[in-house]
Amino acid sequence: MIQNTANKPLSELFSTDNEISYYIPKYQREYVWGKNNWESIFDDIEESDGGHFLGSIICINTQSDSLKPGELELVDGQQRMTTISLFYLAIYQFLIVNIPKSLDEDEKMDVMVELSSLKKKITLRKNELRLTPSYSNHNYDDYKWIFSEVIKDIKTSKKPRFFGLRQIARAYNYFYKRLTEVSDIDSEIPKYTFDSVKNLLAKLNSATLVKIDVATHADAFTLFETLNNRGVPLSAIDLIKNKLLGHLEKIDKDTSLDDNFDRWNSIINNLTDEYKVQERFLRQFYNAFHLDSFIKVDKKPKALRSNLITIYEELINKDVNTFFDRLESASLIYSKHIQYELDEHEHSENMIRILRNLENVNGIDGFMLLLFIDTKFSISESEKIELINLLCNYSIRRNVTDTPPTRDITNYFMDIIDEVSKLDKYSYSKIRELVLLKGKPASDILFEEKLKGDLYDENVGATRYILSSIELSETQTREIYSNFYSRDKKKFVWTIEHVFPQGENIPQHWVDMVANGDREKANTIRKKHVHKLGNLTLTGYNSQLSNKPLKDKQEKQKDGKNVGFKNGLFLNEKLKDISGWTKTDIENRTNVLVNKALKIFKL
């Protein structure tokens, strides 16, 4: 994984004896270091006796021609290396401007040789930059403009707009202003002289960085995860993007980098701005099509977080243009399943509801199967709704019973996909048969047993899904309420309400109702029955019902609206008018709701 590690002085990393260059992938994050970082480097170098340790950088040698100078991709360390380069440039500018007039010709010649050496630390032959920063937020343009202002041999077109408002300009200005400060005692006396800045330069040259060389982006990512003090590392998505765009730039001369970057951004936009969804898609794309000869990577039967970058590096190297097309097409299909409410004309109300169900039941691997089926077959909306409903039922049964175990689900769905790939045409009955055979779902007996248990205590999410599904199975409810997962300020509007309160401190009115005043008996009932399905319902005003008496929970109003058990929900139909609530009532209602759930979630 690690090819070489060495603690090197900056004089070697920026050696005048070689043409080694460092480049940051064009669309890596922008330069963001601020005053605290600049101040820390300046002060640490100045106060040191030399040899100050500056941290580490991680590089990949991307130069395939051994006869050419090394071209190192700076996978990690762009903030540090960019700052050091600007520090060097500020010192160079100061020394150029402040060459002592008292020097004789020989001394001036020596100084010019020293300054030429310093210039070669930060530039290469033909006045190219030794460090090439990313292009994000005008990084490259700002960086090159600053160098062209100090080193006139470097040519650039025009000053970037709003140049002075961005961090690269501010960083350079910070270092140069520090060097041109005046004495605290006498404002006519400069704080730094030509000789003292030369001494500062010597300390900077002797400062060290640990340079870590790795072979691939996958190695870099593995290394990131072992280093805990690095700040925010590049993600797998960042590294795959950099590899893709860099490879396209080398082999595709007909398409601009900007166009390819826009295509990549379109893929990311199709996947929402959640990193976990983006990464999940990349894993599922490979796992869904891993038997395809173009997609298949030797010795990589399954995409995991740990091997994702290695897989995608191979796919990019194999045929980057075909791969890019396939990935883009798949992201469009995937987007229809996860961003189902973006285009109201794309899906019917029934399709939106069933896709919402698949999301709410956390049927993650179902999206992988849908991606494969939508790619292989042309199916109608009604056929897709039927299939997604099967996946929802499979997922809720798994969530309630933990059967099959989470660790096995992706493997089972890949087995299902492998069999579906052999079908000549779409067949729901065949796919259902495969889900039951290869998916190894929980039996009806186990599912019923878990439904009758302490469901809320074991799985709150599954309980919410079951209650809302029972509610939405009633036609009248669907016309009034469509989404029991809606949120207000990131909190669910609808929450689960315990009819008999769940708290240990049982109010006396509830002790009297459920146990005829016997507190010990009431507590026993609470422990055994409070989290059962029959004691649960849905409300938009859980906090206002809480431990209140049954009658108050039934008749609670807000702004003239019924918000208690008389809120019109089917779940509350038998609760709204009852005069008492006992263990028997909980057991009877549990049986009623469990029977409904068994019918709704039948496979």
Side-chain angles (χ1 to χ4, degrees), residues 424-564:
D424 293 328
K425 61 181 181 178
Y426 178 79
S427 167
Y428 170 77
S429 61
K430 183 61 179 177
I431 291 174
R432 176 179 173 273
E433 179 184 316
L434 290 171
V435 169
L436 296 179
L437 176 64
K438 298 290 186 177
K440 302 179 182 179
S443 66
D444 290 343
I445 295 173
L446 178 58
F447 186 42
E448 181 175 359
E449 177 187 325
K450 289 291 186 178
L451 287 174
K452 288 183 175 180
D454 291 335
L455 190 63
Y456 179 89
D457 191 44
E458 293 184 5
N459 195 321
V460 176
T463 304
R464 165 187 287 278
Y465 184 83
I466 290 167
L467 288 171
S468 61
S469 295
I470 291 173
E471 187 61 48
L472 289 171
S473 68
E474 301 300 312
T475 305
Q476 184 177 356
T477 302
R478 288 204 304 269
E479 293 173 353
I480 302 172
Y481 306 109
S482 61
N483 186 4
F484 287 97
Y485 281 80
S486 59
R487 296 175 185 262
D488 181 23
K489 297 179 181 178
K490 297 185 178 180
K491 291 184 177 181
F492 286 121
V493 173
W494 290 89
T495 57
I496 298 172
E497 165 71 11
H498 289 74
V499 182
F500 176 23
Q502 62 176 318
E504 292 183 9
N505 187 20
I506 307 172
Q508 187 60 45
H509 51 260
W510 279 102
V511 173
D512 294 340
M513 178 173 287
V514 302
N516 294 320
D518 185 337
R519 182 165 292 275
E520 184 176 343
K521 182 179 178 181
N523 195 46
T524 299
I525 294 172
R526 183 191 67 80
K527 289 179 179 179
K528 291 186 176 181
H529 294 82
V530 74
H531 294 314
K532 293 191 183 299
L533 196 57
N535 192 51
L536 306 172
T537 187
L538 292 171
T539 174
Y541 297 87
N542 184 289
S543 61
Q544 297 184 33
L545 300 182
S546 188
N547 290 344
K548 293 184 180 300
L550 177 61
K551 191 169 183 63
D552 288 356
K553 289 191 175 190
Q554 291 170 326
E555 299 182 355
K556 178 67 179 176
Q557 291 192 341
K558 183 177 181 181
D559 300 329
K561 289 177 58 179
N562 289 314
V563 298

Side-chain angles (χ1 to χ4, degrees), residues 261-296:
F261 182 60
D262 288 342
R263 283 185 68 191
W264 172 266
N265 275 345
S266 294
I267 291 173
I268 295 302
N269 290 336
N270 289 338
L271 305 174
T272 79
D273 57 3
E274 289 189 49
Y275 175 79
K276 66 178 183 180
V277 176
Q278 298 166 10
E279 187 199 76
R280 184 184 80 202
F281 165 74
L282 292 182
R283 282 187 282 112
Q284 291 194 341
F285 171 77
Y286 180 79
N287 291 339
F289 301 105
H290 71 285
L291 292 182
D292 186 316
S293 59
F294 174 76
I295 300 296
K296 183 179 181 180

Side-chain angles (χ1 to χ4, degrees), residues 295-546:
I295 300 296
K296 183 179 181 180
V297 173
D298 288 343
K299 299 180 181 179
K300 297 293 184 294
K302 178 182 175 182
L304 307 166
R305 287 186 176 88
S306 59
N307 66 10
L308 191 63
I309 301 174
T310 301
I311 286 172
Y312 275 81
E313 282 185 325
E314 290 207 33
L315 292 178
I316 290 166
N317 289 333
K318 187 183 294 186
D319 183 344
V320 65
N321 285 306
T322 302
F323 162 73
F324 206 5
D325 290 342
R326 291 280 298 269
L327 196 68
E328 187 175 37
S329 176
S331 75
L332 287 168
I333 294 172
Y334 207 80
S335 180
K336 292 178 181 179
H337 299 150
I338 64 172
Q339 302 200 81
Y340 45 83
E341 295 186 84
L342 284 184
D343 187 350
E344 60 184 14
H345 302 297
E346 180 71 28
H347 298 310
S348 69
E349 183 180 335
N350 287 336
M351 177 62 82
I352 290 173
R353 182 179 294 113
I354 199 67
L355 285 170
R356 183 187 296 136
N357 285 349
L358 186 59
E359 177 185 14
N360 291 337
V361 80
N362 201 28
I364 301 302
D365 288 282
F367 292 113
M368 179 170 67
L369 179 59
L370 285 176
L371 173 61
F372 183 85
I373 287 176
D374 243 6
T375 303
K376 182 174 175 61
F377 305 109
S378 177
I379 63 175
S380 67
E381 184 180 83
S382 61
E383 288 174 320
K384 185 180 287 188
I385 289 173
E386 184 180 38
L387 173 60
I388 297 173
N389 187 63
L390 173 69
L391 297 175
C392 289
N393 292 353
Y394 174 91
S395 298
I396 190 59
R397 293 166 75 107
R398 199 221 71 78
N399 292 349
V400 169
T401 63
D402 197 30
T403 302
T406 303
R407 65 179 179 274
D408 295 331
I409 300 175
T410 297
N411 292 333
Y412 290 170
F413 268 83
M414 290 176 69
D415 291 342
I416 294 168
I417 288 172
D418 292 350
E419 294 300 320
V420 172
S421 68
K422 300 173 185 176
L423 300 179
D424 293 328
K425 61 181 181 178
Y426 178 79
S427 167
Y428 170 77
S429 61
K430 183 61 179 177
I431 291 174
R432 176 179 173 273
E433 179 184 316
L434 290 171
V435 169
L436 296 179
L437 176 64
K438 298 290 186 177
K440 302 179 182 179
S443 66
D444 290 343
I445 295 173
L446 178 58
F447 186 42
E448 181 175 359
E449 177 187 325
K450 289 291 186 178
L451 287 174
K452 288 183 175 180
D454 291 335
L455 190 63
Y456 179 89
D457 191 44
E458 293 184 5
N459 195 321
V460 176
T463 304
R464 165 187 287 278
Y465 184 83
I466 290 167
L467 288 171
S468 61
S469 295
I470 291 173
E471 187 61 48
L472 289 171
S473 68
E474 301 300 312
T475 305
Q476 184 177 356
T477 302
R478 288 204 304 269
E479 293 173 353
I480 302 172
Y481 306 109
S482 61
N483 186 4
F484 287 97
Y485 281 80
S486 59
R487 296 175 185 262
D488 181 23
K489 297 179 181 178
K490 297 185 178 180
K491 291 184 177 181
F492 286 121
V493 173
W494 290 89
T495 57
I496 298 172
E497 165 71 11
H498 289 74
V499 182
F500 176 23
Q502 62 176 318
E504 292 183 9
N505 187 20
I506 307 172
Q508 187 60 45
H509 51 260
W510 279 102
V511 173
D512 294 340
M513 178 173 287
V514 302
N516 294 320
D518 185 337
R519 182 165 292 275
E520 184 176 343
K521 182 179 178 181
N523 195 46
T524 299
I525 294 172
R526 183 191 67 80
K527 289 179 179 179
K528 291 186 176 181
H529 294 82
V530 74
H531 294 314
K532 293 191 183 299
L533 196 57
N535 192 51
L536 306 172
T537 187
L538 292 171
T539 174
Y541 297 87
N542 184 289
S543 61
Q544 297 184 33
L545 300 182
S546 188

